[in-house]
Amino acid sequence: MSWSRPRGRRAVAILTTVALVAASAWLWALSLLPASYSMASMGHPDYGGGPAEAAGPHGHSHGSGGIDVSTLVPDAGIPADVRVDLVARAQRVQLPGLAEFEGFTLNGRTPGPTIEANEGELVEVRVANENVREGMTLHWHGVDLPNGMDGVAGVTQNAVRPGEDHVYRFVAQAGTYWYHSHQAAHPQVTGGLLGALVVAPRRPTAGVVDLPALVHLYAGVRTINGQPGQVRRAVPAGTTVRVRVINTDPGPMPVWVTGASYRVVAVDGRDINQPDPVTGQAVLVTAGGRADLEVVVPAGGARVELAGSSIVLSEAGAPSGPAPRAFVDLLHYGRPAPVPFDPDAAVRTFDYAIGRGFGLINGRPGFWWTINGGLFPNVPMFMVRTGEVVRFRVSNSSGEVHPMHLHGHHLLVLSRNGVRATGSPWLVDSLNVESGETYQLAMVADNPGIWMDHCHNLPHAREGLMTHLGYEGYSSPYVVGGEHGNHPE
Ligand code: C2O
Ligand code: CU
C-alpha cells in the first residue's frame, strides 16, 4: 500500500501543475491587448454615482455611435491670426555643450519654435512629418481646445506618417502651455519633439519682460530652452520679469529664486489671485505643469534656480544660495476669488485611485500601476454629460509620485488629505499626487469629446496609468494599433 501514496501524490502534483499552467495561460491570453482596439470602449464605463447612459440607438456612446470627435473643431471659416509651419524630423541633434544624440526636431531645432499668440486669436499650425518613422502628432498640453484638435493618436486622429501633414486650429487662451507629440509620446517627447506655447493676455501688464523657460532633460542633461547650465538675461535693476517655467520632464521640479523674492502669478495657464511674495521657499512644478514666476530684479541681480540649471536676471552677476527646504503650498496661496461654478452641485464623483499590483499587461508579468484596483485595460472610463459639474477623488497608494494630467479641462483643487483649499482658486491640468495623498477636485464638463486622463511620467502611462474621460453621445473613429500604428504613449 505504501507505493500508492507517492503515485497519488505525483498525480496530484501533475494535475496541479497542469491546472496552474492552464490558468496562467488563460490569464496571459486574457491580458493580451488586441492588435487594434478603440480607446473609447476600453475598460468599463464609470458613472461616478450619476445617471448611466440611456440605452437605445444613439444612447450608448461607450464604444461606437454618437458624434464623431474628429468633427469637434473650430469653424473652418474663421481666418487664422497666427500661422505656423512646422517640419518634424528624426535626426541626430547637436545642442551646445552636449554630446550628439538621436532625437527629434521641429524646423531643425529642439525645442521647436516658441509659438506666440494673443488671447482670443486663432492659431493655425501645420505640421509636416518628414521622416519620423512611427508617425507623430502634436498635442497642446493644457489648452482646453475642441477635442478634434487634441492631437492624440488613436483617439482624436491617426498618427501623421512620414510624408503626411496635419493642421491644428484653436482659439488661444491666455497662459503658458507647451506642445508635444502624442504618438509614441515617451520616446518622442524625451527625444525633443516639443516646444513652448505662450499666449499673452488681452490686457498685458505694461513693462513686464516675458521669459519662457522650457526645461528639458536631453540625454540626462537639464536644459533651459535647449541650453544647458546657466542662461542669462541682461535686464537692468528694477525690471519686472515673468519667467514662464515649463516642466517637460517626467519628475517634479523645484523652482526658486535667490537674490529676490518672487510671486507665483500663474499655474497651468491660470492666474493666481493676489499672490503673496515668496522668500525662502521653492515652488514645485509637476511633470507637464507650468508655473509663472514674477521677479522684480534688484540691484544685485536675481537667479531663478531650476534644479540644476539657472537663469541669471542681471546685467552683471546674481547671488546663488542653497535650495530651500520649504515649499509654497498652493492650497493656501493667494486670496480666494469667486469661481464660475458650484463644486457642491456635482452630480458625479469619480474615484481615480492609483495603486500597484502584480499581474499581466499585454502578456507581460510585472508589478504594474492599478486604477481602482484594475490593471490596464481593465480601468474605468469616466462618463459625463455635457454641462454637468463633476468631482474627482484622486488618491495614490502606489509608493511613487504621479503627475496626473487631464486633457481639455482645468480642475479646481478643493482639498488635499481632507484639508480644504483656502487660497486663490487653484486650477490645474497637471497635478502632483504624492504617494499617500488624496485630492478632491471639481470641474464643469463643458468640453465634449474623449479626453485622456493619465500620468505624465510617460513611462508610467505606457505601463497602464492611463484612462479617459468620455462624454455621453460622442465616439472616436480611430483605434489604437491598426494600420496606422497609433500608440498614444
Ligand atoms: Cu502632455 Cu496626454 O499629455
Ligand atoms: Cu506616474
Side-chain angles (χ1 to χ4, degrees), residues 139 141-142 152 178 180 182 288 405 407 452 454 456 458 489:
H139 165 61
H141 186 118
V152 179
W178 59 299
H180 63 78
H182 224 307
H405 173 49
H407 289 204
M452 289 196 100
H454 65 95
H456 219 282
L458 296 172
E489 298 309 334

Side-chain angles (χ1 to χ4, degrees), residues 47 50-54 348 385 472:
Y47 299 103
E53 287 172 90
R348 307 176 195 267
R385 288 181 186 168
E472 194 176 313

Side-chain angles (χ1 to χ4, degrees), residues 218-279:
Y218 289 98
V221 180
R222 183 158 267 130
T223 61
I224 301 169
N225 304 327
Q227 265 180 267
Q230 193 174 293
V231 172
R232 174 186 302 277
R233 182 73 176 251
V235 286
T239 311
T240 303
V241 183
R242 184 182 185 123
V243 183
R244 298 172 178 268
V245 179
I246 306 169
N247 181 4
T248 66
D249 289 324
M253 175 177 63
V255 179
W256 69 97
V257 178
T258 54
S261 67
Y262 67 96
R263 291 170 204 266
V264 185
V265 293
V267 169
D268 285 0
R270 295 296 176 270
D271 288 347
I272 297 288
N273 185 46
Q274 298 180 43
D276 314 294
V278 178
T279 42

Side-chain angles (χ1 to χ4, degrees), residues 95-352:
L95 289 176
L98 256 80
E100 249 191 18
F101 60 93
E102 289 298 337
F104 301 93
T105 60
L106 289 151
N107 294 359
R109 39 182 284 208
T110 177
T114 297
I115 297 174
E116 289 174 19
N118 295 307
E119 183 178 1
E121 286 182 333
L122 193 121
V123 179
E124 182 174 302
V125 179
R126 176 183 299 273
V127 64
N129 178 4
E130 193 173 285
N131 67 343
V132 180
R133 232 192 290 150
E134 311 74 24
M136 52 78 59
T137 67
L138 293 180
H139 165 61
W140 308 90
H141 186 118
V143 183
D144 299 339
L145 43 55
N147 194 222
M149 294 293 161
D150 200 37
V152 179
V155 182
T156 64
Q157 68 172 92
N158 284 321
V160 183
R161 314 303 304 181
E164 295 178 351
D165 58 17
H166 195 88
V167 177
Y168 296 94
R169 304 179 98 237
F170 56 90
V171 175
Q173 298 161 343
T176 307
Y177 307 94
W178 59 299
Y179 60 91
H180 63 78
S181 182
H182 224 307
Q183 159 73 353
H186 170 50
Q188 294 189 8
V189 173
T190 308
L193 230 174
L194 50 84
L197 167 66
V198 174
V199 182
R202 250 187 208 110
R203 281 182 300 273
T205 332
V208 176
V209 172
D210 215 78
L211 186 58
L214 184 146
V215 181
H216 191 69
L217 281 166
Y218 289 98
V221 180
R222 183 158 267 130
T223 61
I224 301 169
N225 304 327
Q227 265 180 267
Q230 193 174 293
V231 172
R232 174 186 302 277
R233 182 73 176 251
V235 286
T239 311
T240 303
V241 183
R242 184 182 185 123
V243 183
R244 298 172 178 268
V245 179
I246 306 169
N247 181 4
T248 66
D249 289 324
M253 175 177 63
V255 179
W256 69 97
V257 178
T258 54
S261 67
Y262 67 96
R263 291 170 204 266
V264 185
V265 293
V267 169
D268 285 0
R270 295 296 176 270
D271 288 347
I272 297 288
N273 185 46
Q274 298 180 43
D276 314 294
V278 178
T279 42
Q281 289 183 323
V283 59
L284 196 70
V285 184
T286 198
R290 289 86 61 218
D292 296 11
L293 272 47
E294 209 170 79
V295 184
V296 181
V297 178
R303 183 191 300 267
V304 182
E305 297 278 4
L306 299 129
S309 52
S310 63
I311 305 171
V312 172
L313 302 172
S314 164
E315 287 172 319
S320 54
R325 296 230 183 95
F327 285 90
V328 174
D329 189 350
L330 294 168
L331 206 57
H332 308 300
Y333 184 68
R335 302 276 167 280
V339 288
F341 69 99
D342 177 12
D344 291 326
V347 292
R348 307 176 195 267
T349 298
F350 298 110
D351 267 309
Y352 198 136

